[in-house]
Amino acid sequence: VQTCALPIWHKLRRAIWTVAYMLLFRTSPRPFHGWRRMLLRLFGAQLGADSFVYPTARIWAPWKLICGAASTIGEDAIIYNPETVQLGSHAIVSQQAYICGATHDYEDPAFPLRAYPIRLGAYSWVCARATVQPGVNLGDGAVLALGSVATKDLAPWTVYGGVPARRIKARTVTQPK
């Protein structure tokens, strides 16, 4: 957990990224994944081969994003990452999903920002409109079902659903081809 008082250089970097996002990233045609990978890498993202980030996906701080090979961030997904967000290989963040890496300390009158790292394991899947709360991690192969909210870490190769998300069943593990 990190208390964040964002320095001026961070705010400047975010401003430059916002302009690049609006002019170059968001306007890129849907199949131009290589172009968007290049832009994200220019801003410090670490992206594996064949990672796919769609043009309407919103990444708050590319320099705090790590994506393994063949990972996907879908349409209108939001990655709010004042701390590192890491997607393992083949991890999927579906359309309109929200990965929230920070909150505020409401017990402190100054209301400081509290940022947490998040890890989505290899072959994990955050389904459409699902939310991962600050500091929550998904094990390898974990699935967070449609519209669910992960408030605690999700065990590997398990399907979770609901608000808050609860274990539904084990996921059948099959070897990738």
Side-chain angles (χ1 to χ4, degrees):
V1 180
Q2 178 181 351
T3 300
C4 296
L6 300 175
I8 190 72
W9 63 265
H10 181 84
K11 293 175 183 175
L12 179 61
R13 193 176 193 184
R14 285 258 317 120
I16 294 168
W17 164 244
T18 299
V19 170
Y21 172 80
M22 295 302 290
L23 296 177
L24 304 171
F25 188 95
R26 189 171 176 95
T27 59
S28 64
R30 197 168 195 261
F32 283 33
H33 295 289
W35 169 254
R36 289 185 295 278
R37 277 193 300 270
M38 187 228 16
L39 286 172
L40 288 166
R41 285 178 179 140
L42 281 173
F43 281 88
Q46 299 173 42
L47 303 175
D50 295 324
S51 54
F52 296 101
V53 181
Y54 285 83
T56 58
R58 294 184 357 219
I59 289 85
W60 195 77
W63 49 94
K64 299 229 179 209
L65 179 65
I66 301 169
C67 293
S71 58
T72 300
I73 301 173
E75 295 285 358
D76 298 314
I78 298 172
I79 309 292
Y80 176 49
N81 59 334
E83 263 304 315
T84 303
V85 168
Q86 180 177 358
L87 279 68
S89 71
H90 300 85
I92 299 169
V93 177
S94 287
Q95 63 274 21
Q96 298 179 355
Y98 184 30
I99 310 301
C100 184
T103 187
H104 292 273
D105 183 354
Y106 55 82
E107 298 289 347
D108 184 331
F111 210 53
L113 185 70
R114 297 279 192 172
Y116 299 80
I118 294 175
R119 182 184 180 279
L120 308 179
Y123 296 94
S124 64
W125 180 18
V126 178
C127 296
R129 295 188 176 183
T131 299
V132 177
Q133 289 190 344
V136 174
N137 300 294
L138 276 65
D140 291 349
V143 174
L144 181 61
L146 174 77
S148 298
V149 178
T151 59
K152 297 178 183 174
D153 289 355
L154 305 186
W157 301 102
T158 306
V159 178
Y160 290 82
V163 180
R166 291 193 170 97
R167 182 187 187 281
I168 296 172
K169 65 178 190 170
R171 181 175 174 196
T172 305
V173 180
T174 57
Q175 293 300 319
K177 295 178 182 178

